[in-house]
Amino acid sequence: MKSEIYFVNMDGNIYFKVEDGVVYSRDRKTDVSPNKLSDFLAIAKELEFKTGKL
């Protein structure tokens, strides 16, 4: 079971966990695909929000 943690800082950190191809936020499964999360993080970075992978 591979797990990766990503974050975006928008007035506080928001964390996302990707585990076995499923994206979780606040320990809840979302309908967001890992590809869409990647797109979201790229857009947030272009808008000069801090993003990253832990």
Side-chain angles (χ1 to χ4, degrees):
M1 177 166 31
K2 185 178 177 185
S3 179
E4 298 174 321
I5 306 288
Y6 298 90
F7 74 91
V8 60
N9 186 306
M10 298 178 166
D11 293 330
N13 284 335
I14 303 168
Y15 295 94
F16 301 94
K17 178 171 74 170
V18 178
E19 188 171 85
D20 294 330
V22 178
V23 177
Y24 295 86
S25 177
R26 298 182 181 167
D27 295 325
R28 294 184 193 148
K29 183 178 175 182
T30 68
D31 292 331
V32 177
S33 71
N35 289 338
K36 293 291 183 187
L37 176 61
S38 178
D39 292 346
F40 169 73
L41 293 172
I43 291 167
K45 190 171 190 168
E46 284 183 32
L47 294 172
E48 299 184 4
F49 289 102
K50 283 188 172 183
T51 65
K53 180 178 176 182
L54 302 179

